[in-house]
Amino acid sequence: MQRRYLLKAMAAVGAGLSLPHANVFGQTAVSNTINVKHLFNQAIQKDDALIGLADVQQNYTEQSLKIDGKLPKDIHGYFYRNGPAKHERGEQRYQHLFEGDGMLQRFAIGEGKIKHIGKFVNTPKYAHEESAKRFMFDGPDTKLTVSSAVAHADTINTANTNIIPVGDDLWALWEGGSASVIDKASLSFKNFANLGENSQYGDKLKRLPFSAHPKIEANGDIWNFGYNAAGTIVLYHLSAQGKTKNVGLINTDFRAGMLHDFLITHKHILLILPSITKDASAHGMFTSIRFNKHQPMKVMVLDKNTLKLARQYELPPGFAFHFGNAWEEADGSIYFDASLYSDVKILHEMSHIMQGKHIAKPATSNTCLYHLKANGSVDYQRLKENSEFPRVSNYLTGLKNRYLYHVGNTHDGLWSDSIYRVDWHNDTVESYDYGKEYIVEEHIPIAQDNNENNGYLIGTALHVPSKRTCLNIFNVAKLSDGPITRAWLPYHLPLGFHGNYSAA
C-alpha cells in the first residue's frame, strides 16, 4: 500500500513538470522590451571583466597547455567543469546567467602534461536550437518573440550547472529535470538518465527534477533531491552506478521557486530552506524571488534509512546557494557550514550583469558554521572572510572535516579573486590572493591517501588583462605559497559553476 501511494505521488510530481504549452518554471517569463545583447556589448567595451559572460560560438578542440612550475607526478586524472556558455543566438541574449546552455571543460592531467577540451552538452534543446540557429524556448526569466511549446522539463534542460562521474559515464546536471548522461571519452550527450530503470520504480522517476548538487559518500553512494515548485521534494539514494536504491517524498510547503543545495551526515539528510518567498506580481522565475527578513531559515533533518522527517530547527533569516559539508557528533548534534548572504540580492545581480548593468555594491556572503544541538537549540559563528563555492575533501562528505576551502573577494569588487582554507580545529584561515586582475572560480581539494592535510587544491581562474584562463594546482599544506603548477590556455573560457576531479 505504501509503495503504491508513493508511485502515485511520484507520477503527480512528474505531471506538474510536464504540462504542454506551459512554462515549467511556474511563471510567465520577462518580455524583452530592450535589446539586452546591445546593452551587454556596450558594457563589455568598457569593462573587460565581462568577457567571461560573453557568448561562446563553438567547441574548443583538444590542445596541450603551457605549464609554469612543476606538475606533481601523483596527480593522474581528469578535472571537469560545467557552466553556461551559449548565451546568445541571433539578436537574442538570455537575461539571467542561469539560463545559458551548458558547456563541459575537461583537463586531462598526467605524464607531465595537461590537455584541455571544451564541448557543449548536445541536449535535445541545444541540438534543436543549433539546427534552427535561434533560441526556440522561453527561459526562466527570458521571453522570446516566438516560442515553441514546452512538453516537459527536459525539453528545456540546459545541463549547465555541475558534472559528476557515475559508473562508466559522466552526468551533467541541471536542477529542473533529468541528469544528462555523457560519454567519458568523447564528452558526447548520450541520453537523459531514467533513474527508475531496472528497478522497482520503472518509468515513475522519469523526468523528475534531480538537483545539481548531489552528495557522494566515500563508498560511491549518491544522495540527491529534486525540488518541485509546489513544495514537494523528491529524495534519492542511488548506487555508485546510478541505480536507485531508495526514493521518497516530503511535502515542505516551501514554494519560493528555488532550492539549490542540501547536505548529508552519516545518518541524516539536511534540507535547509532559506528565507525567500515568491512575489506573485513579478514575472519570471528568478525575478519573482524575494527575501523575507522576518522568515527564519528552516532546517529539516530526515532519516537516511526511512527518508522521513526526524526533527526540525529554525535559524535566523538568511540565504545560501551553497553548503560545504555537515557532520554529526556522538550526542546527536549536527554541524554544517554555509556561504551565507543577508538577502537575495546576489540572485538578481546575476541578471543585471548579463544585461550589462553596473553593480556599485555587490552582494557578499560569509562562511557560517551552525551547531544544531540535540536539545533543539542552535549556535552559530560567522567568519569575516567573503565566501562562495565551499568544498571539502570528497572522502569526508557527511563526516567530520577539519578543513573547508572556498573562494572569496579580497579587493572588494564584483568577482572572487582569492582562495581560502578554514581550519575548524583552531579557527584559523589561510589564503592566497590571486590579485584583482583575476576572476577566480571554484577550487576543489584532492586528498591523497585519505589524508585531509596531504594533497592538492585545483581550480581555474581568468586573467582579465591577457584574456586567458589558467588551471592552477596548490599544495593544500602550503596554500599561501601560491600555485605549484599553473597551466595556461591561449584564450579565456566562459565562467562556469561547478566541477569535480576523477582519478584515471
Side-chain angles (χ1 to χ4, degrees):
M1 179 70 71
Q2 186 175 6
R3 178 175 173 270
R4 193 180 312 126
Y5 171 79
L6 177 64
L7 294 181
K8 282 186 67 177
M10 291 292 179
V13 174
L17 293 174
S18 54
L19 301 175
H21 308 287
N23 186 325
V24 299
F25 299 105
Q27 292 284 337
T28 303
V30 177
S31 176
N32 284 330
T33 57
I34 54 176
N35 190 321
V36 173
K37 179 178 178 179
H38 176 67
L39 292 177
F40 181 80
N41 286 342
Q42 284 185 320
I44 203 172
Q45 298 301 317
K46 301 175 183 177
D47 184 0
D48 285 344
L50 292 175
I51 58 175
L53 305 179
D55 183 59
V56 177
Q57 300 292 323
Q58 59 190 13
N59 295 329
Y60 298 99
T61 58
E62 186 175 67
Q63 63 175 290
S64 294
L65 276 59
K66 177 183 178 295
I67 296 177
D68 293 337
K70 187 176 182 180
L71 182 62
K73 293 182 179 179
D74 52 351
I75 298 184
H76 192 258
Y78 302 93
F79 177 54
Y80 299 99
R81 283 190 54 72
N82 192 1
K86 177 50 63 180
H87 301 299
E88 299 174 359
R89 290 188 185 277
E91 290 303 306
Q92 184 76 46
R93 178 174 173 84
Y94 281 136
Q95 296 187 14
H96 200 283
L97 182 58
F98 288 171
E99 296 181 301
D101 295 275
M103 186 179 210
L104 305 179
Q105 314 294 342
R106 182 182 70 196
F107 296 86
I109 306 170
E111 300 178 355
K113 297 179 181 180
I114 299 179
K115 295 182 179 180
H116 169 263
I117 187 172
K119 194 168 186 178
F120 280 105
V121 185
N122 194 36
T123 61
K125 172 190 180 295
Y126 180 84
H128 292 159
E129 293 180 334
E130 189 74 357
S131 177
K133 306 213 179 293
R134 67 177 180 88
F135 288 135
M136 298 175 65
F137 304 99
D138 289 342
D141 271 13
T142 302
K143 184 172 179 61
L144 309 180
T145 304
V146 178
S147 178
S148 299
V150 177
H152 48 74
D154 286 338
T155 304
I156 52 174
N157 192 328
T158 53
N160 69 0
T161 310
N162 201 354
I163 181 165
I164 62 171
V166 180
D168 296 327
D169 296 310
L170 301 168
W171 284 10
L173 304 177
W174 184 58
E175 56 193 39
S178 306
S180 295
V181 182
I182 306 296
D183 180 82
K184 272 187 178 180
S186 65
L187 295 186
S188 298
F189 174 86
K190 295 172 68 173
N191 54 263
F192 289 123
N194 182 357
L195 299 178
E197 192 173 21
N198 300 320
S199 78
Q200 61 178 317
Y201 301 104
D203 287 340
K204 297 296 183 181
L205 309 182
K206 198 171 185 179
R207 302 193 184 106
L208 290 184
F210 189 79
S211 102
H213 283 283
K215 306 305 175 191
I216 304 175
E217 294 183 294
N219 67 356
D221 277 12
I222 302 168
W223 296 84
N224 205 0
F225 76 97
Y227 172 71
N228 178 282
T232 304
I233 292 179
V234 189
L235 303 169
Y236 303 98
H237 180 196
L238 313 178
S239 72
Q241 302 300 314
K243 182 176 180 180
T244 299
K245 289 185 172 185
N246 196 10
V247 63
L249 279 178
I250 182 167
N251 183 15
T252 66
D253 201 33
F254 179 73
R255 302 187 181 189
M258 178 182 179
L259 189 64
H260 191 66
D261 199 357
F262 81 121
L263 288 166
I264 62 170
T265 70
H266 69 291
K267 289 184 178 181
H268 291 99
I269 297 168
L270 274 63
L271 298 176
I272 301 104
L273 311 180
S275 307
I276 56 175
T277 58
K278 182 177 288 188
D279 181 355
S281 67
H283 299 294
M285 174 185 166
F286 304 122
T287 307
S288 68
I289 295 176
R290 299 286 184 268
F291 185 77
N292 184 350
K293 64 181 180 180
H294 303 296
Q295 177 181 322
M297 287 200 298
K298 182 186 292 186
V299 181
M300 305 182 75
V301 181
L302 302 104
D303 186 285
K304 285 169 73 174
N305 292 320
T306 65
L307 302 183
K308 302 294 185 182
L309 183 66
R311 57 188 190 268
Q312 298 185 66
Y313 294 84
E314 285 192 351
L315 309 178
F319 172 77
F321 280 119
H322 302 118
F323 309 99
N325 195 32
W327 73 83
E328 197 157 346
E329 299 286 358
D331 65 358
S333 64
I334 296 173
Y335 288 84
F336 76 92
D337 68 84
S339 289
L340 187 72
Y341 293 88
S342 58
D343 54 34
V344 76
K345 180 182 173 184
I346 179 64
L347 183 65
H348 304 303
E349 289 178 348
M350 292 181 187
S351 175
H352 297 161
I353 58 174
M354 287 293 288
Q355 301 177 49
K357 297 178 181 178
H358 175 68
I359 300 172
K361 293 183 178 180
T364 58
S365 58
N366 306 88
T367 297
C368 195
L369 181 66
Y370 292 95
H371 180 194
L372 310 179
K373 298 181 181 181
N375 65 6
S377 62
V378 177
D379 280 340
Y380 63 94
Q381 60 174 314
R382 189 165 184 169
L383 305 185
K384 65 178 182 178
E385 289 80 13
N386 183 248
S387 166
E388 251 302 354
F389 298 127
R391 296 293 297 252
V392 300
S393 297
N394 284 345
Y395 79 98
L396 291 173
T397 299
L399 304 175
K400 188 172 185 176
N401 60 285
R402 175 174 179 174
Y403 299 113
L404 174 74
Y405 299 88
H406 64 82
V407 302
N409 189 297
T410 301
H411 299 280
D412 297 324
L414 175 62
W415 311 99
S416 292
D417 51 43
S418 302
I419 54 173
Y420 300 84
R421 182 171 84 158
V422 180
D423 185 340
W424 292 124
H425 282 197
N426 55 27
D427 291 329
T428 60
V429 179
E430 184 182 6
S431 65
Y432 174 75
D433 179 2
Y434 272 82
K436 62 182 180 180
E437 68 272 17
Y438 283 87
I439 299 175
V440 178
E441 300 185 274
E442 178 189 58
H443 281 48
I444 295 171
I446 306 170
Q448 301 292 71
D449 304 319
N450 286 350
N451 182 345
E452 204 179 358
N453 204 32
N454 179 27
Y456 305 97
L457 189 70
I458 184 170
T460 48
L462 168 56
H463 184 243
V464 175
S466 67
K467 298 183 179 181
R468 295 183 298 161
T469 293
C470 56
L471 179 72
N472 306 273
I473 301 174
F474 296 78
N475 183 329
V476 293
K478 299 179 180 179
L479 191 69
S480 60
D481 288 352
I484 55 177
T485 307
R486 178 166 283 173
W488 288 96
L489 281 160
Y491 42 74
H492 71 275
L493 299 177
L495 295 175
F497 291 139
H498 302 289
N500 284 283
Y501 174 83
S502 178

